[in-house]
Amino acid sequence: MKPMLELMLIFLATSLLMYLILSGYTKKKRVSDRINEFLPAPSVEDFEVVKEKRQPLVKRFILSVSLLFKNVQFSEKTEKILREAGSHLKPEEFFAFRVMTSAGFGFLSVLLKLPIYLCPVVILIGFALPITLMKKKRKNRLKQASYQLIDVLGMMANSMRAGFSFMQAMQLVGKEVPAPLGPEFDRVVRQAGLGMPLEEVFEELVERVPNKELEVVVRAILAQRKSGGNLAELLETMEETIRGRVRILEELNTLTAQGKMSSWIITLLPVGLGLYLSLVNREYFGPMLEHPLGWAMLFVCAVSIFIGWLLIQKIIRIEV
């Protein structure tokens, strides 16, 4: 009898505790729902203010430095690179980041006690490194767009065969497909919903993502909207065409991989050997840096390496 009584007390205590927890949670949820019902939701500006307050220290420092270059007129090429790379940085912010990177490389060269003639070279490398990485990011983004475009065309064709309209199919792509094409298609749908002509919207899309396959798809869609026809079949045909084009590009990359590696090895081997000798055995390599004949030899060597690199790049670059 006593064990049964203990079990009953434990059951009642557990039930009472669960009731108190659930009732408190329900009350809080009811209060939160009523607050959200009667009070307006925070605006986008409020979210931006909160986000700006929570930014890391490095980002805030870059923003403060970028204010010095706010009134500087940057070239359209820089803005184009940032736009095509999908970067959210403004040109002045990117320039401030490049200045900070070059200053950091210069400080590092001082800490490593490099020769004085190498310090300007290191600073220039630090200034050019961010734009090189941004161009690499742009190249990878455009390459990824080619692979995504195959899935996008298949998804749109299947959606339209299932009864979706063209804009609904694009809206589905904007929701389901990740970057870079997903957000771009979502932006196209929003711009078209605001009343912008579809031709103008697609032209801006091609400017933001200057991919050859995407440009062909856009031209075909615009031509079909004027002439008429089965858009789902057109999308499937373009899917097969782009799939074959991407397959050929992959085969070419495989065949030219050895040439690309050879170009970098042949180009960097003399440079690496010269740096190694200048740091390890300065007396042996010193005449090349101190005698006019050594300067002439280094100049001829640099020009020859550059010409050889250009020739190899021209041989392995095959347009498809």
Side-chain angles (χ1 to χ4, degrees):
M1 187 67 182
K2 189 175 181 180
M4 290 293 295
L5 183 60
E6 291 179 354
L7 290 174
M8 288 293 294
L9 291 175
I10 293 174
F11 176 75
L12 291 174
T14 306
S15 302
L16 180 62
L17 182 62
M18 292 294 295
Y19 172 75
L20 293 175
I21 293 175
L22 291 176
S23 61
Y25 174 76
T26 306
K27 185 177 180 181
K28 289 182 179 180
K29 189 174 185 306
R30 191 185 307 116
V31 172
S32 178
D33 292 341
R34 289 183 63 82
I35 290 175
N36 293 333
E37 181 180 357
F38 290 102
L39 292 180
S43 60
V44 179
E45 289 78 6
D46 297 333
F47 281 117
E48 290 179 353
V49 171
V50 174
K51 185 177 179 181
E52 194 171 317
K53 290 181 179 178
R54 295 180 181 177
Q55 285 177 346
L57 180 61
V58 178
K59 182 66 178 296
R60 282 183 287 172
F61 183 70
I62 293 176
L63 291 176
S64 60
V65 175
S66 66
L67 294 177
L68 301 175
F69 310 104
K70 190 173 183 180
N71 296 324
V72 178
Q73 185 66 30
F74 294 93
S75 63
E76 295 182 359
K77 184 178 179 181
T78 303
E79 298 179 1
K80 186 173 182 291
I81 291 174
L82 294 175
R83 182 174 63 251
E84 294 175 359
S87 175
H88 299 289
L89 292 175
K90 298 178 181 178
E92 60 269 15
E93 295 174 358
F94 183 64
F95 185 77
F97 180 71
R98 294 181 68 184
V99 171
M100 292 173 57
T101 306
S102 62
F105 271 63
F107 182 70
L108 183 63
S109 64
V110 173
L111 289 180
L112 296 177
K113 296 181 180 180
L114 296 178
I116 191 65
Y117 59 86
L118 288 180
C119 290
V121 178
V122 174
I123 292 175
L124 290 177
I125 292 174
F127 188 75
L129 184 61
I131 191 67
T132 304
L133 295 178
M134 191 63 66
K135 290 180 179 179
K136 181 68 175 178
K137 182 181 178 182
R138 177 186 63 174
K139 182 179 178 181
N140 293 336
R141 183 171 182 262
L142 298 179
K143 183 178 179 181
Q144 187 181 3
S146 299
Y147 292 99
Q148 280 189 338
L149 191 59
I150 300 173
D151 299 330
V152 166
L153 293 176
M155 183 184 298
M156 292 180 64
N158 295 332
S159 301
M160 296 184 68
R161 288 189 182 278
F164 282 47
S165 66
F166 177 67
M167 297 305 297
Q168 288 175 338
M170 292 186 62
Q171 188 175 9
L172 179 64
V173 170
K175 290 181 179 179
E176 299 295 333
V177 179
L181 288 186
E184 294 295 340
F185 273 75
D186 184 61
R187 181 174 180 177
V188 168
V189 173
R190 286 187 282 108
Q191 288 178 337
L194 293 174
M196 293 181 62
L198 197 60
E199 291 79 5
E200 182 179 346
V201 172
F202 276 127
E203 289 293 338
E204 292 184 2
L205 173 63
V206 174
E207 289 181 2
R208 294 193 302 270
V209 188
N211 182 275
K212 292 183 179 179
E213 289 80 12
L214 181 61
E215 185 177 359
V216 171
V217 171
V218 167
R219 302 302 177 198
I221 291 176
L222 293 179
Q224 188 275 340
R225 291 179 64 86
K226 294 180 180 179
S227 60
N230 193 332
L231 184 56
E233 292 184 0
L234 176 63
L235 294 176
E236 289 180 348
T237 303
M238 288 189 296
E239 177 189 0
E240 293 299 326
T241 303
I242 294 174
R243 191 186 301 274
R245 177 183 171 86
V246 170
R247 184 175 64 251
I248 294 174
L249 287 175
E250 290 178 348
E251 292 177 358
L252 284 176
N253 290 332
T254 303
L255 295 174
T256 58
Q258 182 179 359
K260 293 178 182 179
M261 184 61 67
S262 300
S263 68
W264 286 108
I265 292 176
I266 293 173
T267 303
L268 296 179
L269 187 61
V271 179
L273 183 61
L275 291 175
Y276 176 77
L277 291 176
S278 64
L279 295 176
V280 175
N281 195 345
R282 181 62 183 274
E283 295 180 357
Y284 178 78
F285 196 74
M288 295 291 292
L289 302 174
E290 298 171 358
H291 197 276
L293 182 60
W295 298 345
M297 294 176 65
L298 288 177
F299 177 75
V300 173
C301 179
V303 173
S304 301
I305 291 175
F306 183 70
I307 294 175
W309 183 81
L310 286 180
L311 291 176
I312 296 176
Q313 292 296 319
K314 188 174 182 180
I315 292 173
I316 64 177
R317 185 181 294 113
I318 303 174
E319 294 291 338
V320 179

